[in-house]
Amino acid sequence: MPSLGADMESGKLVQWLVKPGSVVKKGDVAAVVETHKGAFEIEIFEEGVISELCAKEGDELPVGAPLARLVRPGEESAASKASTIAPEVIPVSAPIPAVEVERTEGTVAAPSPPLIQPSSRPKASPAARRRAGELGIDLNTPKGTGLDGSVTLADVELAAAKGVPPKTPSSAAAPAARRRGFDPDEMRLAIAAAMSRSKREIPHYYLTSTMDMTRPLAWLESFNRQRKPEERLLPAVLLLKATALALREYPQLNGFWEDGSFRRADGVHIGWAISLRGGGLLAPAIHDVDNHSLPSLMGALRDLVGRARSGGIRGSEMMDPTFTVTSVGDRGAESVLGVIYPPQVAILGFGRVIERPWVVDGQVTARSLVTASLAADHRASDGHVGGLFLAAVDRFLQEPEAL
Amino acid sequence: MTEAEIRQLVCDILSDIAPETDPALLSGGRDIREGLDIDSMDFLNFIIALSKRAGVSIPEEDYPKLFTIDGVVAYLTSIGQP
Protein backbone atom coordinates (compact mmCIF):
# COMPACT_ATOMS: atom_id res chain seq x y z
CA MET A 1 0.00 0.00 0.00
CA PRO A 2 1.75 3.14 -1.19
CA SER A 3 1.68 6.38 0.76
CA LEU A 4 -0.29 8.86 -1.32
CA GLY A 5 0.36 11.82 0.94
CA ALA A 6 1.83 12.94 4.22
CA ASP A 7 -1.48 12.40 5.98
CA MET A 8 -2.24 8.89 4.73
CA GLU A 9 -2.06 6.00 7.20
CA SER A 10 -4.05 3.35 5.39
CA GLY A 11 -5.98 2.79 2.21
CA LYS A 12 -8.75 0.56 0.98
CA LEU A 13 -8.11 -1.70 -1.99
CA VAL A 14 -11.30 -1.30 -4.01
CA GLN A 15 -10.42 -2.97 -7.26
CA TRP A 16 -7.81 -5.18 -8.87
CA LEU A 17 -6.97 -4.52 -12.53
CA VAL A 18 -4.44 -7.38 -12.70
CA LYS A 19 -4.60 -11.06 -11.77
CA PRO A 20 -2.00 -13.69 -11.01
CA GLY A 21 -0.30 -14.33 -14.35
CA SER A 22 -0.77 -10.78 -15.66
CA VAL A 23 2.32 -9.53 -17.46
CA VAL A 24 2.98 -5.97 -16.37
CA LYS A 25 5.40 -3.18 -17.12
CA LYS A 26 6.36 0.00 -15.33
CA GLY A 27 3.46 2.44 -15.33
CA ASP A 28 0.68 -0.10 -15.77
CA VAL A 29 -2.26 0.49 -13.48
CA ALA A 30 -2.59 -2.51 -11.18
CA ALA A 31 -5.26 -1.51 -8.71
CA VAL A 32 -7.58 1.21 -7.49
CA VAL A 33 -7.08 2.36 -3.92
CA GLU A 34 -9.43 4.59 -2.00
CA THR A 35 -8.17 7.09 0.56
CA HIS A 36 -9.69 10.10 2.31
CA LYS A 37 -9.06 12.02 -0.88
CA GLY A 38 -10.92 9.67 -3.16
CA ALA A 39 -9.91 6.84 -5.45
CA PHE A 40 -6.48 6.60 -7.06
CA GLU A 41 -4.97 4.33 -9.66
CA ILE A 42 -1.94 2.48 -8.34
CA GLU A 43 0.82 1.76 -10.81
CA ILE A 44 3.43 -0.93 -11.11
CA PHE A 45 7.02 0.23 -10.71
CA GLU A 46 8.70 -2.86 -12.12
CA GLU A 47 8.42 -5.13 -15.11
CA GLY A 48 7.37 -8.72 -14.59
CA VAL A 49 4.55 -11.14 -13.96
CA ILE A 50 2.11 -10.90 -11.07
CA SER A 51 2.48 -14.08 -9.07
CA GLU A 52 0.12 -13.48 -6.20
CA LEU A 53 -2.42 -10.97 -4.96
CA CYS A 54 -1.89 -10.53 -1.22
CA ALA A 55 -4.94 -8.37 -0.61
CA LYS A 56 -8.50 -8.76 -1.71
CA GLU A 57 -10.97 -6.12 -2.87
CA GLY A 58 -12.47 -4.37 0.12
CA ASP A 59 -9.43 -4.83 2.38
CA GLU A 60 -8.27 -1.81 4.40
CA LEU A 61 -4.46 -1.94 4.58
CA PRO A 62 -1.83 0.12 6.41
CA VAL A 63 0.74 2.03 4.35
CA GLY A 64 3.62 -0.33 3.57
CA ALA A 65 1.58 -3.53 3.54
CA PRO A 66 2.15 -5.66 0.42
CA LEU A 67 -0.64 -5.63 -2.14
CA ALA A 68 0.74 -8.19 -4.54
CA ARG A 69 3.86 -10.10 -5.44
CA LEU A 70 5.64 -9.79 -8.74
CA VAL A 71 8.28 -11.93 -10.42
CA ARG A 72 10.81 -10.02 -12.48
CA PRO A 73 11.65 -11.25 -15.97
CA GLY A 74 14.41 -13.81 -15.75
CA GLU A 75 13.47 -14.79 -12.26
CA GLU A 76 11.89 -18.10 -11.54
CA SER A 77 8.34 -17.96 -10.42
CA ALA A 78 8.27 -19.26 -6.91
CA ALA A 79 4.68 -18.96 -5.91
CA SER A 80 5.11 -21.72 -3.41
CA LYS A 81 7.94 -19.88 -1.70
CA ALA A 82 6.35 -16.47 -2.04
CA SER A 83 4.05 -16.79 0.89
CA THR A 84 6.99 -17.44 3.18
CA ILE A 85 8.79 -14.24 2.23
CA ALA A 86 8.30 -11.70 4.96
CA PRO A 87 7.28 -8.25 3.78
CA GLU A 88 10.12 -5.80 3.96
CA VAL A 89 9.72 -2.90 6.31
CA ILE A 90 9.60 0.17 4.13
CA PRO A 91 10.02 3.67 5.56
CA VAL A 92 6.88 5.70 5.02
CA SER A 93 8.68 8.77 3.74
CA ALA A 94 10.25 6.93 0.82
CA PRO A 95 8.31 6.27 -2.36
CA ILE A 96 6.84 2.86 -1.89
CA PRO A 97 6.41 0.44 -4.74
CA ALA A 98 2.86 -0.71 -5.12
CA VAL A 99 3.92 -4.29 -5.40
CA GLU A 100 6.64 -6.10 -3.59
CA VAL A 101 9.20 -7.73 -5.79
CA GLU A 102 9.96 -11.34 -5.18
CA ARG A 103 13.64 -11.93 -4.98
CA THR A 104 14.35 -15.52 -5.79
CA GLU A 105 17.53 -17.18 -6.84
CA GLY A 106 16.62 -19.23 -9.80
CA THR A 107 17.46 -20.27 -13.27
CA VAL A 108 16.59 -18.01 -16.12
CA ALA A 109 13.07 -18.59 -17.23
CA ALA A 110 11.16 -16.50 -19.69
CA PRO A 111 8.03 -15.01 -18.21
CA SER A 112 4.99 -16.99 -19.13
CA PRO A 113 2.74 -15.41 -21.73
CA PRO A 114 0.03 -13.19 -20.35
CA LEU A 115 -2.84 -15.27 -19.08
CA ILE A 116 -4.93 -12.26 -18.35
CA GLN A 117 -4.41 -8.87 -19.85
CA PRO A 118 -4.94 -5.95 -17.52
CA SER A 119 -8.54 -4.96 -17.99
CA SER A 120 -8.94 -1.71 -19.84
CA ARG A 121 -11.42 0.79 -18.58
CA PRO A 122 -13.53 2.41 -21.30
CA LYS A 123 -13.14 6.18 -21.50
CA ALA A 124 -16.26 7.90 -20.22
CA SER A 125 -17.29 11.18 -18.66
CA PRO A 126 -18.05 11.04 -14.93
CA ALA A 127 -21.73 11.75 -15.62
CA ALA A 128 -21.84 8.90 -18.12
CA ARG A 129 -20.09 6.59 -15.69
CA ARG A 130 -22.56 7.41 -12.94
CA ARG A 131 -25.63 7.09 -15.15
CA ALA A 132 -24.36 3.81 -16.60
CA GLY A 133 -23.97 2.56 -13.05
CA GLU A 134 -27.51 3.58 -12.21
CA LEU A 135 -28.93 1.99 -15.35
CA GLY A 136 -26.72 -1.07 -15.12
CA ILE A 137 -25.26 -0.46 -18.56
CA ASP A 138 -21.85 -1.74 -19.52
CA LEU A 139 -19.76 1.25 -20.62
CA ASN A 140 -18.12 -0.89 -23.27
CA THR A 141 -21.46 -1.11 -25.08
CA PRO A 142 -22.34 2.44 -26.19
CA LYS A 143 -20.28 3.97 -28.97
CA GLY A 144 -18.44 6.98 -27.54
CA THR A 145 -19.08 10.31 -29.27
CA GLY A 146 -17.29 12.55 -26.77
CA LEU A 147 -14.00 14.49 -27.14
CA ASP A 148 -11.37 11.64 -27.76
CA GLY A 149 -14.09 9.01 -28.31
CA SER A 150 -15.12 8.80 -24.70
CA VAL A 151 -18.62 7.72 -23.77
CA THR A 152 -20.83 10.69 -22.90
CA LEU A 153 -24.01 10.94 -20.87
CA ALA A 154 -25.99 11.18 -24.12
CA ASP A 155 -24.41 7.94 -25.39
CA VAL A 156 -25.47 6.15 -22.23
CA GLU A 157 -29.02 7.48 -22.42
CA LEU A 158 -29.17 6.48 -26.07
CA ALA A 159 -27.97 2.98 -25.26
CA ALA A 160 -30.58 2.75 -22.52
CA ALA A 161 -33.31 3.90 -24.90
CA LYS A 162 -32.22 1.29 -27.44
CA GLY A 163 -32.68 -1.33 -24.78
CA VAL A 164 -29.11 -2.48 -24.37
CA PRO A 165 -29.31 -5.50 -22.11
CA PRO A 166 -28.25 -4.68 -18.59
CA LYS A 167 -25.11 -6.27 -17.33
CA THR A 168 -25.30 -9.71 -15.84
CA PRO A 169 -25.21 -9.83 -12.07
CA SER A 170 -21.66 -11.20 -12.13
CA SER A 171 -20.44 -8.14 -13.98
CA ALA A 172 -22.43 -5.75 -11.86
CA ALA A 173 -19.30 -5.06 -9.86
CA ALA A 174 -17.22 -4.63 -13.01
CA PRO A 175 -14.65 -1.85 -13.04
CA ALA A 176 -16.51 0.42 -15.40
CA ALA A 177 -19.62 0.96 -13.38
CA ARG A 178 -17.95 1.39 -10.03
CA ARG A 179 -18.35 4.92 -8.85
CA ARG A 180 -15.02 6.30 -7.87
CA GLY A 181 -15.05 6.88 -4.14
CA PHE A 182 -15.13 10.48 -3.11
CA ASP A 183 -16.60 11.73 0.11
CA PRO A 184 -16.37 15.50 0.76
CA ASP A 185 -16.32 14.95 4.53
CA GLU A 186 -13.40 12.54 4.28
CA MET A 187 -11.63 14.96 1.95
CA ARG A 188 -12.14 17.72 4.51
CA LEU A 189 -10.49 15.57 7.18
CA ALA A 190 -7.54 14.79 4.91
CA ILE A 191 -6.98 18.48 4.14
CA ALA A 192 -7.37 19.34 7.82
CA ALA A 193 -4.72 16.80 8.79
CA ALA A 194 -2.16 17.87 6.17
CA MET A 195 -2.65 21.62 6.65
CA SER A 196 -2.60 21.37 10.46
CA ARG A 197 0.67 19.51 10.26
CA SER A 198 2.01 22.14 7.87
CA LYS A 199 1.10 25.08 10.11
CA ARG A 200 2.31 23.24 13.23
CA GLU A 201 5.67 22.17 11.84
CA ILE A 202 6.67 24.47 9.02
CA PRO A 203 7.98 27.98 9.76
CA HIS A 204 6.53 29.66 6.67
CA TYR A 205 7.90 32.90 5.28
CA TYR A 206 5.98 34.84 2.64
CA LEU A 207 7.08 37.03 -0.26
CA THR A 208 4.88 38.67 -2.87
CA SER A 209 5.69 40.28 -6.16
CA THR A 210 3.55 42.00 -8.80
CA MET A 211 4.22 40.71 -12.29
CA ASP A 212 3.23 42.45 -15.51
CA MET A 213 1.28 39.92 -17.61
CA THR A 214 0.61 42.30 -20.52
CA ARG A 215 3.36 40.92 -22.74
CA PRO A 216 2.86 37.19 -21.97
CA LEU A 217 -0.91 37.51 -22.44
CA ALA A 218 -0.53 39.39 -25.73
CA TRP A 219 1.80 36.63 -26.95
CA LEU A 220 -0.72 34.01 -25.84
CA GLU A 221 -3.54 35.80 -27.65
CA SER A 222 -1.63 35.81 -30.91
CA PHE A 223 -0.61 32.16 -30.43
CA ASN A 224 -4.24 31.17 -29.86
CA ARG A 225 -5.68 33.31 -32.66
CA GLN A 226 -4.45 31.00 -35.40
CA ARG A 227 -5.51 27.84 -33.59
CA LYS A 228 -8.59 25.73 -33.08
CA PRO A 229 -10.00 25.73 -29.53
CA GLU A 230 -8.51 22.31 -28.76
CA GLU A 231 -5.03 23.60 -29.62
CA ARG A 232 -5.29 26.82 -27.62
CA LEU A 233 -3.27 27.43 -24.47
CA LEU A 234 -4.39 28.77 -21.11
CA PRO A 235 -2.32 31.33 -19.18
CA ALA A 236 -1.77 28.61 -16.57
CA VAL A 237 0.78 26.85 -18.79
CA LEU A 238 2.90 30.02 -19.01
CA LEU A 239 2.85 30.31 -15.22
CA LEU A 240 3.75 26.63 -14.80
CA LYS A 241 6.61 26.65 -17.30
CA ALA A 242 8.10 29.90 -15.98
CA THR A 243 7.92 28.49 -12.44
CA ALA A 244 9.61 25.25 -13.50
CA LEU A 245 12.48 27.06 -15.24
CA ALA A 246 12.96 29.29 -12.18
CA LEU A 247 13.04 26.20 -9.94
CA ARG A 248 15.92 24.85 -12.02
CA GLU A 249 17.86 27.96 -11.04
CA TYR A 250 16.79 27.77 -7.39
CA PRO A 251 16.67 24.06 -6.53
CA GLN A 252 16.67 24.99 -2.81
CA LEU A 253 12.91 25.39 -3.20
CA ASN A 254 12.32 22.17 -5.13
CA GLY A 255 12.34 19.15 -2.85
CA PHE A 256 11.47 17.83 0.58
CA TRP A 257 12.13 18.49 4.24
CA GLU A 258 12.70 15.03 5.70
CA ASP A 259 14.17 13.89 9.00
CA GLY A 260 15.59 17.27 9.87
CA SER A 261 17.20 18.10 6.56
CA PHE A 262 16.42 19.20 3.03
CA ARG A 263 16.55 16.74 0.16
CA ARG A 264 16.67 18.16 -3.36
CA ALA A 265 14.31 16.57 -5.85
CA ASP A 266 15.68 14.98 -9.00
CA GLY A 267 13.11 16.48 -11.32
CA VAL A 268 10.72 19.41 -11.40
CA HIS A 269 7.35 17.76 -10.75
CA ILE A 270 4.89 20.52 -10.00
CA GLY A 271 1.77 19.77 -8.00
CA TRP A 272 -1.07 21.74 -9.59
CA ALA A 273 -3.84 22.62 -7.15
CA ILE A 274 -7.21 21.59 -8.60
CA SER A 275 -10.37 22.47 -6.76
CA LEU A 276 -13.13 19.88 -6.92
CA ARG A 277 -16.69 21.05 -7.38
CA GLY A 278 -17.92 18.61 -4.75
CA GLY A 279 -15.61 20.37 -2.26
CA GLY A 280 -11.96 20.00 -1.42
CA LEU A 281 -8.90 20.01 -3.61
CA LEU A 282 -6.08 17.86 -4.95
CA ALA A 283 -2.60 18.88 -6.06
CA PRO A 284 -1.31 16.01 -8.23
CA ALA A 285 1.99 16.28 -10.08
CA ILE A 286 2.71 17.17 -13.65
CA HIS A 287 6.03 15.44 -14.20
CA ASP A 288 9.13 17.21 -15.56
CA VAL A 289 7.34 20.48 -16.25
CA ASP A 290 10.65 22.12 -17.23
CA ASN A 291 11.06 19.70 -20.15
CA HIS A 292 7.58 20.14 -21.67
CA SER A 293 6.82 22.39 -24.62
CA LEU A 294 3.85 24.67 -23.94
CA PRO A 295 1.42 22.62 -26.09
CA SER A 296 2.49 19.39 -24.43
CA LEU A 297 2.17 21.03 -21.02
CA MET A 298 -1.34 22.13 -21.96
CA GLY A 299 -2.18 18.54 -22.89
CA ALA A 300 -0.78 17.26 -19.61
CA LEU A 301 -2.73 19.87 -17.66
CA ARG A 302 -5.99 19.13 -19.45
CA ASP A 303 -5.53 15.42 -18.85
CA LEU A 304 -4.67 15.93 -15.19
CA VAL A 305 -7.63 18.21 -14.44
CA GLY A 306 -10.01 15.83 -16.22
CA ARG A 307 -8.78 12.86 -14.25
CA ALA A 308 -8.79 14.75 -10.94
CA ARG A 309 -12.48 15.45 -11.49
CA SER A 310 -13.36 11.91 -12.57
CA GLY A 311 -11.27 10.05 -9.99
CA GLY A 312 -8.55 8.75 -12.30
CA ILE A 313 -5.46 10.23 -10.63
CA ARG A 314 -2.55 7.81 -10.31
CA GLY A 315 -0.82 7.08 -7.05
CA SER A 316 2.52 8.32 -8.39
CA GLU A 317 0.97 11.68 -9.22
CA MET A 318 0.00 12.10 -5.57
CA MET A 319 3.44 11.00 -4.32
CA ASP A 320 5.68 12.89 -6.70
CA PRO A 321 5.06 16.66 -6.40
CA THR A 322 8.29 18.48 -5.54
CA PHE A 323 6.71 21.96 -5.38
CA THR A 324 3.13 23.21 -5.63
CA VAL A 325 1.55 25.95 -7.75
CA THR A 326 -1.91 27.26 -7.05
CA SER A 327 -3.63 29.71 -9.36
CA VAL A 328 -7.01 31.19 -8.50
CA GLY A 329 -7.95 31.62 -12.16
CA ASP A 330 -9.93 34.42 -13.76
CA ARG A 331 -12.65 34.80 -11.13
CA GLY A 332 -10.63 34.41 -7.93
CA ALA A 333 -9.03 36.69 -5.35
CA GLU A 334 -6.25 39.18 -6.02
CA SER A 335 -3.62 37.08 -4.32
CA VAL A 336 -3.25 33.75 -2.58
CA LEU A 337 -0.78 33.06 0.23
CA GLY A 338 -0.40 29.30 0.18
CA VAL A 339 0.04 26.74 2.92
CA ILE A 340 2.96 24.41 2.15
CA TYR A 341 2.05 20.76 1.58
CA PRO A 342 4.52 18.72 3.63
CA PRO A 343 7.10 17.40 3.04
CA GLN A 344 7.47 19.96 0.23
CA VAL A 345 9.21 23.22 1.13
CA ALA A 346 7.42 25.84 -0.95
CA ILE A 347 4.24 26.80 -2.74
CA LEU A 348 3.70 29.58 -5.28
CA GLY A 349 0.29 31.23 -5.57
CA PHE A 350 -0.95 33.32 -8.48
CA GLY A 351 -3.90 35.67 -7.97
CA ARG A 352 -6.36 36.85 -10.61
CA VAL A 353 -4.98 38.93 -13.46
CA ILE A 354 -6.28 42.48 -13.02
CA GLU A 355 -5.96 45.53 -15.26
CA ARG A 356 -4.44 48.36 -13.21
CA PRO A 357 -2.47 51.57 -13.60
CA TRP A 358 1.26 50.79 -13.65
CA VAL A 359 4.35 52.80 -14.39
CA VAL A 360 6.21 51.76 -17.54
CA ASP A 361 9.14 53.89 -18.82
CA GLY A 362 8.11 56.73 -16.53
CA GLN A 363 4.52 56.78 -17.79
CA VAL A 364 1.41 55.65 -15.97
CA THR A 365 -0.37 53.18 -18.19
CA ALA A 366 -2.99 50.40 -17.93
CA ARG A 367 -1.38 46.96 -17.61
CA SER A 368 -2.56 43.43 -16.81
CA LEU A 369 -1.00 42.54 -13.47
CA VAL A 370 -0.82 39.42 -11.35
CA THR A 371 0.32 39.07 -7.75
CA ALA A 372 2.59 36.06 -7.26
CA SER A 373 3.06 34.96 -3.65
CA LEU A 374 5.68 32.54 -2.45
CA ALA A 375 5.28 30.68 0.82
CA ALA A 376 8.46 28.81 1.70
CA ASP A 377 9.87 26.75 4.54
CA HIS A 378 12.38 28.84 6.51
CA ARG A 379 14.16 25.68 7.62
CA ALA A 380 15.10 24.97 4.01
CA SER A 381 15.67 28.45 2.56
CA ASP A 382 15.82 32.16 3.37
CA GLY A 383 13.89 35.08 1.99
CA HIS A 384 16.83 36.16 -0.13
CA VAL A 385 16.59 32.99 -2.22
CA GLY A 386 12.81 33.30 -2.33
CA GLY A 387 13.08 36.83 -3.69
CA LEU A 388 15.56 35.81 -6.38
CA PHE A 389 13.27 32.94 -7.32
CA LEU A 390 10.27 35.27 -7.77
CA ALA A 391 12.40 37.60 -9.91
CA ALA A 392 13.39 34.61 -12.05
CA VAL A 393 9.74 33.57 -12.54
CA ASP A 394 9.00 37.13 -13.71
CA ARG A 395 12.00 37.14 -16.03
CA PHE A 396 10.89 33.89 -17.73
CA LEU A 397 7.29 35.14 -18.02
CA GLN A 398 8.48 38.26 -19.87
CA GLU A 399 9.90 36.09 -22.65
CA PRO A 400 6.92 33.88 -23.44
CA GLU A 401 8.23 32.95 -26.88
CA ALA A 402 11.21 31.29 -25.19
CA LEU A 403 9.13 29.22 -22.76
CA MET B 1 -30.63 24.79 -35.03
CA THR B 2 -33.65 26.08 -33.16
CA GLU B 3 -33.35 28.02 -29.93
CA ALA B 4 -34.62 24.99 -27.98
CA GLU B 5 -32.03 22.78 -29.66
CA ILE B 6 -29.25 25.21 -28.82
CA ARG B 7 -30.35 25.34 -25.17
CA GLN B 8 -30.47 21.54 -25.06
CA LEU B 9 -27.01 21.29 -26.63
CA VAL B 10 -25.55 23.74 -24.11
CA CYS B 11 -27.11 21.83 -21.21
CA ASP B 12 -25.79 18.50 -22.56
CA ILE B 13 -22.26 19.83 -22.90
CA LEU B 14 -22.32 21.50 -19.50
CA SER B 15 -23.60 18.42 -17.71
CA ASP B 16 -20.70 16.46 -19.18
CA ILE B 17 -18.21 19.11 -18.04
CA ALA B 18 -19.77 19.69 -14.61
CA PRO B 19 -21.67 16.48 -13.82
CA GLU B 20 -22.12 17.54 -10.19
CA THR B 21 -24.40 20.37 -11.30
CA ASP B 22 -27.74 20.73 -13.04
CA PRO B 23 -27.33 23.24 -15.88
CA ALA B 24 -31.09 23.09 -16.60
CA LEU B 25 -31.63 25.09 -13.41
CA LEU B 26 -29.36 27.87 -14.63
CA SER B 27 -31.26 30.96 -15.76
CA GLY B 28 -30.43 32.04 -19.29
CA GLY B 29 -28.85 35.33 -18.29
CA ARG B 30 -26.64 34.00 -15.49
CA ASP B 31 -22.89 33.73 -15.97
CA ILE B 32 -22.32 30.02 -16.59
CA ARG B 33 -18.87 30.16 -15.00
CA GLU B 34 -20.26 31.56 -11.78
CA GLY B 35 -23.47 29.55 -11.73
CA LEU B 36 -21.76 26.18 -12.22
CA ASP B 37 -18.35 27.02 -10.73
CA ILE B 38 -16.64 26.53 -14.08
CA ASP B 39 -12.92 27.31 -14.23
CA SER B 40 -10.93 28.39 -17.27
CA MET B 41 -10.09 24.79 -18.24
CA ASP B 42 -13.77 23.78 -18.01
CA PHE B 43 -14.74 26.83 -20.04
CA LEU B 44 -12.19 26.00 -22.75
CA ASN B 45 -13.58 22.43 -22.87
CA PHE B 46 -17.06 23.97 -23.22
CA ILE B 47 -15.87 26.05 -26.20
CA ILE B 48 -14.19 22.99 -27.77
CA ALA B 49 -17.36 20.90 -27.47
CA LEU B 50 -19.61 23.75 -28.59
CA SER B 51 -17.56 24.50 -31.70
CA LYS B 52 -17.44 20.81 -32.63
CA ARG B 53 -21.07 19.98 -32.01
CA ALA B 54 -22.51 23.17 -33.47
CA GLY B 55 -19.99 23.12 -36.31
CA VAL B 56 -18.82 26.69 -35.81
CA SER B 57 -15.42 28.22 -35.33
CA ILE B 58 -15.23 30.37 -32.20
CA PRO B 59 -12.34 32.83 -31.96
CA GLU B 60 -10.99 33.61 -28.50
CA GLU B 61 -12.18 37.22 -28.61
CA ASP B 62 -15.78 35.96 -28.81
CA TYR B 63 -15.55 34.05 -25.53
CA PRO B 64 -17.19 36.87 -23.50
CA LYS B 65 -20.31 36.57 -25.71
CA LEU B 66 -20.65 32.97 -24.55
CA PHE B 67 -20.62 33.48 -20.79
CA THR B 68 -24.41 32.99 -20.57
CA ILE B 69 -26.81 30.51 -22.17
CA ASP B 70 -28.78 33.42 -23.70
CA GLY B 71 -25.47 34.67 -25.09
CA VAL B 72 -24.76 31.29 -26.73
CA VAL B 73 -28.25 31.27 -28.28
CA ALA B 74 -27.78 34.77 -29.67
CA TYR B 75 -24.27 33.96 -30.91
CA LEU B 76 -25.17 30.73 -32.70
CA THR B 77 -28.35 32.23 -34.14
CA SER B 78 -26.57 35.35 -35.43
CA ILE B 79 -23.95 33.40 -37.35
CA GLY B 80 -26.78 31.41 -38.91
CA GLN B 81 -25.44 27.94 -38.34
CA PRO B 82 -27.62 24.86 -38.85
Side-chain angles (χ1 to χ4, degrees), chain A residues 325-364:
Chain A
V325 171
T326 179
S327 167
V328 301
D330 50 10
R331 291 180 301 115
E334 290 176 16
S335 76
V336 49
L337 298 154
V339 181
I340 299 165
Y341 189 72
Q344 293 165 42
V345 298
I347 177 170
L348 183 59
F350 290 99
R352 173 168 46 103
V353 175
I354 303 174
E355 203 172 15
R356 293 218 159 131
W358 194 245
V359 177
V360 180
D361 300 330
Q363 299 290 319
V364 177

Side-chain angles (χ1 to χ4, degrees), chain A residues 41-387:
Chain A
E41 296 181 341
I42 304 302
E43 301 143 281
I44 301 273
F45 286 76
E46 306 252 3
E47 193 181 336
V49 179
I50 300 289
S51 68
E52 184 199 347
L53 303 182
C54 308
K56 49 182 200 305
E57 296 186 355
D59 283 358
E60 181 84 26
L61 298 160
V63 167
L67 292 176
R69 291 178 199 281
L70 176 142
V71 181
R72 286 195 182 117
E75 288 178 339
E76 192 184 3
S77 172
S80 58
K81 278 194 272 172
S83 59
T84 65
I85 296 172
E88 290 169 42
V89 177
I90 305 166
V92 175
S93 57
I96 294 166
V99 297
E100 191 173 85
V101 176
E102 247 179 56
R103 288 181 185 82
T104 55
E105 293 174 24
T107 52
V108 176
S112 49
L115 302 178
I116 300 119
Q117 292 290 356
S119 57
S120 66
R121 218 157 42 92
K123 279 189 176 176
S125 74
R129 210 169 276 285
R130 191 169 310 160
R131 189 73 182 127
E134 287 164 12
L135 296 169
I137 286 177
D138 187 341
L139 276 175
N140 287 300
T141 309
K143 188 183 176 308
T145 62
L147 284 178
D148 68 1
S150 61
V151 176
T152 66
L153 183 59
D155 300 330
V156 172
E157 299 284 6
L158 187 66
K162 280 183 184 163
V164 167
K167 294 183 301 173
T168 57
S170 68
S171 67
R178 195 190 296 272
R179 187 174 169 184
R180 295 309 188 88
F182 170 68
D183 177 343
D185 295 337
E186 292 283 311
M187 167 72 83
R188 206 63 260 150
L189 291 176
I191 294 171
M195 296 298 99
S196 300
R197 179 184 154 193
S198 173
K199 283 286 181 168
R200 201 165 48 235
E201 294 179 4
I202 303 177
H204 289 63
Y205 70 83
Y206 302 94
L207 300 169
T208 66
S209 183
T210 301
M211 300 182 187
D212 188 344
M213 292 295 286
T214 310
R215 199 162 178 280
L217 291 180
W219 178 86
L220 197 68
E221 203 181 302
S222 83
F223 180 95
N224 287 345
R225 188 171 297 131
Q226 309 141 20
R227 286 171 173 80
K228 290 188 286 188
E230 55 268 39
E231 292 164 5
R232 290 175 195 162
L233 305 178
L234 289 172
V237 298
L238 300 181
L239 302 177
L240 272 168
K241 187 70 188 285
T243 301
L245 295 176
L247 282 171
R248 264 195 198 165
E249 292 185 7
Y250 297 96
Q252 303 95 312
L253 298 171
N254 187 53
F256 314 97
W257 184 262
E258 287 168 347
D259 304 324
S261 68
F262 175 69
R263 178 169 66 86
R264 267 185 202 190
D266 293 331
V268 180
H269 311 312
I270 296 185
W272 175 253
I274 300 166
S275 84
L276 304 174
R277 259 183 293 272
L281 83 164
L282 290 176
I286 302 174
H287 291 101
D288 300 305
V289 174
D290 52 334
N291 293 329
H292 276 278
S293 68
L294 293 178
S296 111
L297 194 53
M298 182 65 195
L301 187 65
R302 183 197 308 281
D303 172 57
L304 192 76
V305 173
R307 286 187 294 109
R309 300 252 164 89
S310 64
I313 291 290
R314 294 181 199 115
S316 61
E317 290 167 326
M318 293 305 289
M319 289 186 271
D320 290 348
T322 59
F323 181 95
T324 297
V325 171
T326 179
S327 167
V328 301
D330 50 10
R331 291 180 301 115
E334 290 176 16
S335 76
V336 49
L337 298 154
V339 181
I340 299 165
Y341 189 72
Q344 293 165 42
V345 298
I347 177 170
L348 183 59
F350 290 99
R352 173 168 46 103
V353 175
I354 303 174
E355 203 172 15
R356 293 218 159 131
W358 194 245
V359 177
V360 180
D361 300 330
Q363 299 290 319
V364 177
T365 149
R367 306 289 281 191
S368 299
L369 306 177
V370 71
T371 304
S373 311
L374 176 75
D377 186 336
H378 222 322
R379 297 171 302 183
S381 68
D382 300 320
H384 179 62
V385 163

Side-chain angles (χ1 to χ4, degrees), chain A residues 125-127 130 147 152-153 220-221 224-225 229-230 232-234 277-278 298 301-302 305 309 330-331, chain B residues 15-20 33-34 36-42 44-45 47-48 51-52 58-60 63:
Chain A
S125 74
R130 191 169 310 160
L147 284 178
T152 66
L153 183 59
L220 197 68
E221 203 181 302
N224 287 345
R225 188 171 297 131
E230 55 268 39
R232 290 175 195 162
L233 305 178
L234 289 172
R277 259 183 293 272
M298 182 65 195
L301 187 65
R302 183 197 308 281
V305 173
R309 300 252 164 89
D330 50 10
R331 291 180 301 115
Chain B
S15 50
D16 270 344
I17 289 172
E20 306 85 349
R33 301 168 306 159
E34 242 167 55
L36 303 181
D37 198 10
I38 296 269
D39 66 13
S40 51
M41 180 68 81
D42 293 324
L44 179 55
N45 286 334
I47 297 291
I48 292 171
S51 65
K52 277 190 179 161
I58 303 173
E60 213 173 28
Y63 287 2

Side-chain angles (χ1 to χ4, degrees), chain B residues 10-74:
Chain B
V10 171
C11 281
D12 286 352
I13 294 171
L14 289 174
S15 50
D16 270 344
I17 289 172
E20 306 85 349
T21 65
D22 190 353
L25 299 178
L26 199 65
S27 72
R30 178 103 192 264
D31 190 321
I32 296 167
R33 301 168 306 159
E34 242 167 55
L36 303 181
D37 198 10
I38 296 269
D39 66 13
S40 51
M41 180 68 81
D42 293 324
F43 188 75
L44 179 55
N45 286 334
F46 172 66
I47 297 291
I48 292 171
L50 192 63
S51 65
K52 277 190 179 161
R53 290 172 65 174
V56 295
S57 85
I58 303 173
E60 213 173 28
E61 58 264 30
D62 287 350
Y63 287 2
K65 297 177 186 166
L66 305 170
F67 287 161
T68 65
I69 297 180
D70 288 349
V72 176
V73 171

